[in-house]
Amino acid sequence: LPDGIIKIGEIAFRELSSLESVNIPKSVRSIGENAFSDCYMLKSVIVPEGVKEIGDNAFSMLDGRGELEYVELPSTLNIFSEDCRWWRPYLFHSKNSPKLVVAVPHAPHVEEFCEHNKIKFVYKENK
């Protein structure tokens, strides 16, 4: 994706079965709903620092066929600065992606967010 874009729109790459990798530029601030859903060949995604919002189902593999194994989330996501106890986004359906591990920053509420959403996670170094 080209530098300078600030938003990846809703369903931008949905069901793009040949998409194996994506380089999200540092200029992006939001990723829309279903932006990369059902991109079955996509194995990993690194969301850069600066992204504040990711829409529901952005990385979902709704029928469980996806190859997604790794997603790295930035500390700038709004969800990590809020009380996540009752808020349940569906960035990805981890139950349908048993190999999925999400790298998350050391940030308020991040562990609660992952546990509440049944996401396997590891902490990443804040950059």
Side-chain angles (χ1 to χ4, degrees), residues 2-121:
D3 286 333
I5 65 169
I6 57 171
K7 180 178 182 175
I8 297 173
E10 293 180 11
I11 67 171
F13 298 97
R14 184 178 181 187
E15 297 180 2
L16 186 58
S17 59
S18 61
L19 184 66
E20 293 181 11
S21 65
V22 63
N23 182 16
I24 299 173
K26 292 180 181 180
S27 58
V28 170
R29 296 297 173 253
S30 68
I31 298 172
E33 290 183 23
N34 292 293
F36 296 95
S37 65
D38 298 329
C39 292
Y40 299 118
M41 300 304 292
L42 191 60
K43 290 191 187 291
S44 76
V45 177
I46 296 176
V47 180
E49 290 294 319
V51 173
K52 293 181 182 248
E53 296 178 2
I54 300 177
D56 290 350
N57 295 308
F59 305 107
S60 290
M61 304 301 156
L62 297 178
D63 65 5
R65 295 188 316 165
E67 298 291 322
L68 192 60
E69 294 179 357
Y70 180 80
V71 175
E72 187 172 301
L73 297 177
S75 63
T76 51
L77 281 179
N78 291 335
I79 57 175
F80 295 145
S81 62
E82 300 170 3
D83 182 355
C84 314
R85 241 180 317 206
W86 308 113
W87 190 72
R88 186 177 171 89
Y90 293 93
L91 301 182
F92 18 69
H93 288 269
S94 58
K95 65 183 179 197
N96 291 335
S97 302
K99 296 185 280 185
L100 177 64
V101 174
V102 180
V104 292
H106 288 276
H109 308 294
V110 72
E111 192 168 329
E112 179 183 28
F113 166 82
C114 291
E115 289 175 358
H116 184 74
N117 291 285
K118 296 178 176 55
I119 297 167
K120 290 184 229 171
F121 71 97

